Amino acid sequence: MPTAPTTTTAEPSRPAAPDPSRWAPLRPLVLRLHFYAGVLVAPFLLVAAVTGFLYAASFQAERFVYAQETTVPAGDGKLPIGRQVAAARGAHPEGTLSAVRLSAEEDATTRVLLSGVPGVDEDHVLAVFVDPYTGRVRGALEQYGSTGALPLRTWIDEFHRDLHLGENGRLYSELAASWLWVIAGGGLVLWCARRRAQRKVRGTNGRRRTLGLHGTVGVWTAVGFLFLSATGLTWSTYAGANIDELRTSLGQATPSISATVDGEHAGHGSAARGDGRHGVGLDRVLAAARAEGLTDPVEIVPPADASSAYVVRQIERGWPGKQDAVAVEPATGEVLDVLRFADYPVLAKLTRWGIDLHIGVLFGPVNQIALMGLALSLVLLIVWGYRMWWQRGRAGMFGRPVPRGAWRQVPPQILVPGMAAIAVLGYFVPLLGIPLAAFLVVDVVLGEIAHRRGRGSRGGRTARSGTPTRT
């Protein structure tokens, strides 16, 4: 009698585990790198995370703290730009007019920017806030950077960037950015290689629970950390210079508008540089820019000298950004050059968007909340990381380290290309390469010292037991 074929219930498929023969030699090396990089670099990352959190929150705080200067009741019609500048110069005749910023918001003031003002940092300008409807000056504050940061945000920005230590202080933030992607990538690899049962958080306690929390949050935020690391390096001191050089060699540098006046009009209309009445004046220049499609917010920059033109550029950094610019001839109001953001090379566009996303202006408050979440996650990961180090101790030891010598287990066909790649990366990102080389040297020296001490102690015990020592 024929029997019905038996059926079996297929088990749900699971992600394929890494090949043990390939992963086993690499895991101790990745674990050791992740451990020591986390322990040594975490203090710098902690400072960067806390100050980054504050910076992301400072945009909304700035709107509240400086509401008197930055906002006005909306009126029926705005005054000509020339009259607004004249009102600002009447209240603040010191310094030189460096730019005029017009906002796209109906309830925002116009910013008249003055450089060379006594008592103002040479890297900053004095922003005079003018009511565009009445010409009344609402106040004056120091301003810094292309995003128009006022004193509160400027202080936090400089603390995040260089700890108020100047150019030397920028090394801290570059070190943090150089290592963040290494730590995040190593943690992601370690988490993916762990068995599913070992990733659970519920029902666990002690070091295993801490490890589960650390791994889970790390995995969900790893992409964000990789992005922050990459974009942070683009305007760092050393790696940033290498990135700019690479982009230039590839023809992907950020283009600039030509603002040089040639021919018979050079030097015409260059009088009264301090009040914005160069040649045709600010209002004619703005009208020429409007004809080329430039809408608010815009910044009007007067000619730098007798052979320079006005430059009007859009300064909207949100999405979709307005980054077009035009150069206007001072004597005639003729447009000399037009630069469209749409014509930027691909890497120049990505760099612009990446930086704007990094500082929290690309998507406004949503962008800022996401950055605050990443910063808070990084703080928690650092705390959990140090806690795991504590919990890993034995018999009162604080933080039993991962054993050395893991690189000897890596097959040559993986080790040699890996070391070559690290050497290239270390060249382009020196604050990754130099500390890594120093760590390897110190690790080798300490290992040799420990080896000799251990060999000496073994030799002494052997001699006392009557057995000849081995050389």
Side-chain angles (χ1 to χ4, degrees):
M1 180 179 180
T3 58
T6 59
T7 60
T8 59
T9 303
E11 294 184 358
S13 59
R14 296 181 179 179
D19 184 354
S21 61
R22 296 181 179 179
W23 169 245
L26 287 174
R27 186 181 185 280
L29 184 62
V30 175
L31 180 61
R32 184 168 172 77
L33 179 63
H34 182 73
F35 171 79
Y36 275 108
V39 168
L40 299 176
V41 182
F44 300 98
L45 290 174
L46 184 61
V47 174
V50 172
T51 56
F53 181 95
L54 294 175
Y55 183 77
S58 69
F59 286 90
Q60 301 307 316
E62 190 175 68
R63 295 172 66 91
F64 174 77
V65 173
Y66 303 117
Q68 167 65 27
E69 291 82 4
T70 59
T71 59
V72 294
D76 295 329
K78 294 184 179 181
L79 298 174
I81 306 303
R83 288 184 58 182
Q84 297 183 49
V85 172
R89 297 300 280 154
H92 294 273
E94 66 275 18
T96 302
L97 179 69
S98 63
V100 181
R101 285 194 166 200
L102 310 178
S103 175
E105 300 173 358
E106 293 297 322
D107 63 345
T109 53
T110 297
R111 298 191 188 190
V112 179
L113 308 181
L114 307 177
S115 60
V117 176
V120 175
D121 190 287
E122 62 179 6
D123 294 331
H124 300 177
V125 294
L126 182 68
V128 182
F129 299 86
V130 181
D131 186 331
Y133 303 101
T134 66
R136 176 170 170 261
V137 175
R138 305 274 296 184
L141 297 166
E142 283 195 39
Q143 177 178 303
Y144 171 75
S146 59
T147 61
L150 298 178
L152 173 63
R153 184 153 57 94
T154 298
W155 191 92
I156 297 173
D157 178 27
E158 292 176 351
F159 189 29
H160 176 68
R161 186 176 65 249
D162 58 24
L163 302 178
H164 293 284
L165 298 175
E167 286 301 313
N168 292 331
R170 294 187 66 178
L171 298 179
Y172 115 84
S173 57
E174 184 168 353
L175 178 69
S178 298
W179 281 90
L180 178 58
W181 71 272
V182 177
I183 297 172
L188 185 62
V189 169
L190 290 170
W191 186 89
C192 292
R194 288 174 61 84
R195 293 193 300 272
R196 184 183 295 270
Q198 294 179 311
R199 301 176 190 160
K200 294 190 303 182
V201 176
R202 293 181 181 179
T204 59
N205 51 42
R207 183 175 180 274
R208 186 173 177 183
R209 178 174 178 79
T210 307
L211 178 61
L213 291 169
H214 182 87
T216 301
V217 174
V219 165
W220 281 102
T221 55
V223 173
F225 294 147
L226 295 173
F227 168 81
L228 289 178
S229 176
T231 53
L233 288 173
T234 57
W235 76 92
S236 60
T237 301
Y238 297 108
N242 290 332
I243 292 172
D244 287 343
E245 184 178 344
L246 178 62
R247 284 175 52 202
T248 301
S249 67
L250 296 174
Q252 296 288 311
T254 300
S256 59
I257 193 165
S258 174
T260 301
V261 178
D262 296 322
E264 59 179 289
H265 296 297
H268 290 191
S270 60
R273 186 173 182 272
D275 59 11
R277 292 186 285 112
H278 304 60
V280 297
L282 294 169
D283 291 283
R284 284 274 304 276
V285 170
L286 181 61
R290 297 279 196 241
E292 292 293 333
L294 272 70
T295 57
D296 292 336
V298 296
E299 179 179 80
I300 308 171
V301 180
D305 50 42
S307 61
S308 298
Y310 282 93
V311 173
V312 184
R313 61 170 64 95
Q314 293 177 305
I315 54 174
E316 174 59 62
R317 306 288 284 275
W319 184 270
K322 300 178 181 179
Q323 303 288 317
D324 293 352
V326 299
V328 180
E329 208 283 323
T332 64
E334 176 188 357
V335 174
L336 301 177
D337 190 23
V338 179
L339 177 63
R340 304 290 184 187
F341 184 70
D343 297 329
Y344 277 32
V346 174
L347 290 184
K349 288 181 180 178
L350 292 176
T351 300
R352 177 74 273 157
W353 289 329
I355 291 175
D356 291 342
L357 191 59
H358 184 110
I359 63 179
V361 297
L362 190 61
F363 297 113
V366 173
N367 193 168
Q368 294 149 24
I369 291 171
L371 289 173
M372 293 167 69
L374 279 175
L376 181 59
S377 298
L378 184 55
V379 171
L380 291 174
L381 288 169
I382 291 170
V383 171
W384 286 328
Y386 276 119
R387 179 167 174 77
M388 281 192 296
W389 186 25
W390 176 276
Q391 291 172 326
R392 198 168 186 270
R394 298 282 181 85
M397 292 175 58
F398 178 79
R400 179 167 55 90
V402 179
R404 60 171 57 91
W407 64 271
R408 299 189 187 95
Q409 304 173 29
V410 181
Q413 62 268 28
I414 297 177
L415 182 63
V416 173
M419 293 181 67
I422 290 173
V424 172
L425 267 175
Y427 173 79
F428 282 101
V429 188
L431 290 191
L432 169 66
I434 294 173
L436 181 59
F439 165 71
L440 292 174
V441 170
V442 171
D443 195 47
V444 169
V445 171
L446 293 178
E448 183 62 24
I449 292 174
H451 176 69
R452 291 185 178 185
R453 286 179 178 175
R455 188 172 60 183
S457 62
R458 288 195 301 271
R461 288 195 301 270
T462 304
R464 285 193 298 272
S465 63
T467 305
T469 60
R470 184 176 61 180
T471 60

